[in-house]
Amino acid sequence: MSGEGIHILLECRRRSETLRAKGYTYDQIADLFGVCHDVSPLRLYRYAYGRTAAEAAAMYNDLDPAGTAALRESRLYDFEHWPQRGQRPTARTLALFAQVYRTAARNLVTDETYATYTTRDRDLIDRTDHRVSRLPAPVSPRPARRVTMSTEAAHGTPPVPAPQDCAALLRALGAEEADVKRRDLLFELALALGGTPALVLLRHLSPPEKDRLLTAVRPSTRVDAATVEVIEKLTARCRRLDDDFGPATVLPIVDGQRTLITGLLHRETLLPGLRERLISSYAQLSQLAGYLHYDLMDHTGARLRYEEALAAAHQIADATLIVYLHTCLSWMAIDRGEVGRALDHVFAAEGWLRRSPSHLVRSVHAMDRARVMAHDGRARDSAHALDQSIDLVGLRRTEADPAYLYWCTPGWMQNHAADCLLTLTRLDEAITSAERTLASSTTPKLVRGQAMLYCAEALIRQRDLPHAITRIREAARLTPVHSSARLADSVRRTRTRLQPWATNKHVRALDEELRTLGITSGEAGPQGTTVKNS
């Protein structure tokens, strides 16, 4: 075998072992390898099993019932090279190889080659199937369900990408990493963290950090403080990914990390400090997963993840995170028109707020209280809380302010103020607050889109239709580059405010552009699902 040939075989052998550990069948692995290697199906199956030509020929010869087979390596290469060159394998040869590779003979030839056999030969090929011990296919990630850290760990490995997603990962790896060993490492890490989207996250790790993370992925190695630090770094980075790519891309990565951490907590005997740090990462990832489900308008899934995060935060008595989670639950309740439930979360958070040293979480809680009070018709209390939130967010950050509140800046909080001011019917102030958010160069796409829609709604109430339509159009153009279902729903909902002027030529032009973007008219989400940052 040539140097290049043995290199490919060894690479396929390593990848096959990784995929088999994730539950893939050899048939699926051969299909996946077909994405990367332009060779015959017969060779793809040999790659899937990681066998040399000599090993495959020996197994073939051992299976001949007459004991007369004498397949040589050179002849096997002839079969594998067909139809470009070499020799076409007979139907009986395919039947024996189907037994070698425990598959169906039909899988070992292309459609074009299959068509060249006689009717009798095709009958033999069709009825030869040795797939008697196939493992179940990997299951695609399911919708969020109620779990605990212990039950999730008992569930096993992280959700495995579907075969088509794994094929995309193999294609992406070819462009991502030239070094074979590093490519294999990335392959194993990406599989554990949700597939191809995880490559974007892994780029931010140094080679030693990737090696450290691999110790967490492999159950045979132990986890130390440096490994936990890498997991914490990935947890923080996931939030930034959502700003750029949206929930549909990031959620599988977050789910993979959550399951990875539950496995570590289940299998490892850790020092109390390391265990607490891992539980904290789990709680933060569960909060982020809840927000991502919420951004996809899956409110049931969001509530489950938020409640799991809340349970973990209580386990380590993290007062700041507990306050933040009650705020998330309150925000979602208001969007669903559940003012009473939102008030319950506001008051539940206040008890823990006294134990938190973070002034940023106080700002977030005050903004939530302002919003809830506005919806409850308590304008004076709302205005007081709003002023308090804006004052607090302007203070200098301290070590007590957690990294997951990175988004809590004066510019971004002005966006939430605009939402509150709209409810209070303070339209000019709402427009001013939204414009302050848009003036910041660091405002992410999702928040920019919502600020534009806050402006649009205030302008519609002021009957300034041309400027309102411009803002709706600008927000709608962000939907193809961010997968937030709430943003598209908010565009649709704001458009309904223009219904009295539906025959206006500018409104009709807007409708045409919205149809082009896939934002069709219809029922909007409950209570105007507004966009809150993660």
Side-chain angles (χ1 to χ4, degrees), residues 29 167 227 276 329 334 452:
I29 294 170
T227 305
E276 184 170 318
L329 286 161
I334 280 292
M452 292 168 184

Side-chain angles (χ1 to χ4, degrees), residues 478-500:
L478 294 174
T479 58
V481 295
H482 196 283
S483 57
S484 170
R486 287 185 303 128
L487 179 57
D489 183 74
S490 293
V491 171
R492 187 180 299 111
R493 176 171 42 82
T494 307
R495 161 58 186 87
T496 63
R497 306 287 194 267
L498 294 170
Q499 200 56 32

Side-chain angles (χ1 to χ4, degrees), residues 1-319:
M1 179 178 291
S2 67
E4 180 181 4
I6 192 64
H7 162 80
I8 293 174
L9 177 64
L10 293 175
E11 180 181 58
C12 289
R13 182 181 293 168
R14 289 190 296 267
R15 288 183 176 178
S16 180
E17 290 172 353
T18 301
L19 289 167
R20 287 290 292 168
K22 300 294 182 183
Y24 279 82
T25 67
Y26 285 112
D27 290 320
Q28 292 170 327
I29 294 170
D31 287 340
L32 293 174
F33 286 172
V35 174
C36 306
H37 304 288
D38 186 18
V39 296
S40 68
L42 196 58
R43 177 164 290 190
L44 289 174
Y45 270 85
R46 182 160 65 82
Y47 284 168
Y49 278 87
R51 291 173 182 157
T52 64
E55 291 169 339
M59 294 186 71
Y60 176 94
N61 292 332
D62 290 343
L63 288 173
D64 183 13
T68 59
L71 180 67
R72 301 185 303 275
E73 289 181 54
S74 59
R75 181 61 69 200
L76 174 56
Y77 288 137
D78 285 340
F79 293 156
E80 290 179 345
H81 286 142
W82 183 262
Q84 281 72 30
R85 63 180 188 274
Q87 179 178 327
R88 189 189 73 171
T90 65
R92 179 176 174 277
T93 297
L94 291 175
L96 282 176
F97 269 118
Q99 191 172 354
V100 169
Y101 297 130
R102 297 200 294 276
T103 188
R106 182 64 183 84
N107 291 339
L108 299 177
V109 289
T110 64
D111 292 341
E112 293 78 6
T113 301
Y114 176 77
T116 66
Y117 288 95
T118 65
T119 301
R120 182 176 180 180
D121 285 342
R122 274 181 275 173
D123 287 341
L124 174 59
I125 293 171
D126 290 341
R127 67 173 180 265
T128 303
D129 190 344
H130 292 280
R131 295 174 295 178
V132 293
S133 301
R134 290 179 292 169
L135 294 174
V139 179
S140 298
R142 297 177 180 176
R145 65 194 191 287
R146 186 177 298 277
V147 295
T148 63
M149 282 185 284
S150 58
T151 57
E152 193 166 10
H155 183 260
T157 58
V160 180
Q164 62 270 25
D165 297 326
C166 194
L169 173 60
L170 290 173
R171 283 192 296 267
L173 283 171
E176 184 75 21
E177 178 60 65
D179 182 84
V180 175
K181 290 185 178 179
R182 304 306 298 180
R183 193 187 305 158
D184 287 342
L185 182 147
L186 278 177
F187 181 64
E188 191 169 351
L189 289 177
L191 277 183
L193 295 177
T196 306
L199 293 179
V200 179
L201 184 67
L202 294 170
R203 288 179 193 140
H204 297 278
L205 297 183
S206 65
E209 287 175 329
K210 291 172 184 173
D211 292 335
R212 283 287 183 183
L213 185 60
L214 194 62
T215 65
V217 171
R218 291 175 175 170
S220 59
T221 52
R222 298 192 62 80
V223 174
D224 56 15
T227 305
V228 174
E229 186 175 345
V230 173
I231 292 173
E232 291 170 336
K233 180 177 179 179
L234 287 179
T235 300
R237 190 67 203 177
C238 272
R239 297 180 184 275
R240 306 280 184 169
L241 282 184
D242 177 54
D243 294 339
D244 294 331
F245 299 102
T249 297
V250 180
L251 185 56
I253 304 174
V254 173
D255 284 341
Q257 284 186 257
R258 290 176 71 252
T259 309
L260 174 63
I261 292 174
T262 57
L264 295 177
L265 291 168
H266 180 72
R267 81 172 194 246
E268 293 282 344
T269 302
L270 299 165
L271 293 173
L274 292 182
R275 175 168 291 276
E276 184 170 318
R277 287 169 64 183
L278 281 177
I279 293 174
S280 177
S281 291
Y282 173 86
Q284 292 179 43
L285 287 166
S286 295
Q287 180 277 323
L288 178 55
Y291 169 76
L292 296 173
H293 279 286
Y294 167 54
D295 203 21
L296 292 168
M297 299 185 70
D298 172 15
H299 295 105
T300 300
R303 176 171 293 280
L304 289 176
R305 291 296 180 247
Y306 281 151
E307 290 176 350
E308 290 160 11
L310 198 56
H314 274 287
Q315 187 174 339
I316 56 176
D318 187 334

Side-chain angles (χ1 to χ4, degrees), residues 434-503:
E435 293 290 355
R436 286 173 180 165
T437 297
L438 293 172
S440 173
S441 59
T442 60
T443 302
K445 293 186 282 286
L446 180 59
V447 180
R448 291 186 68 82
Q450 192 61 42
M452 292 168 184
L453 294 173
Y454 290 149
C455 269
E457 182 157 344
L459 290 166
I460 291 170
R461 294 189 198 180
Q462 294 178 337
R463 300 298 190 267
D464 186 352
L465 300 188
H467 288 99
I469 290 171
T470 297
R471 284 306 194 191
I472 295 173
R473 180 177 285 112
E474 290 171 340
R477 289 172 181 172
L478 294 174
T479 58
V481 295
H482 196 283
S483 57
S484 170
R486 287 185 303 128
L487 179 57
D489 183 74
S490 293
V491 171
R492 187 180 299 111
R493 176 171 42 82
T494 307
R495 161 58 186 87
T496 63
R497 306 287 194 267
L498 294 170
Q499 200 56 32
W501 304 277
T503 59

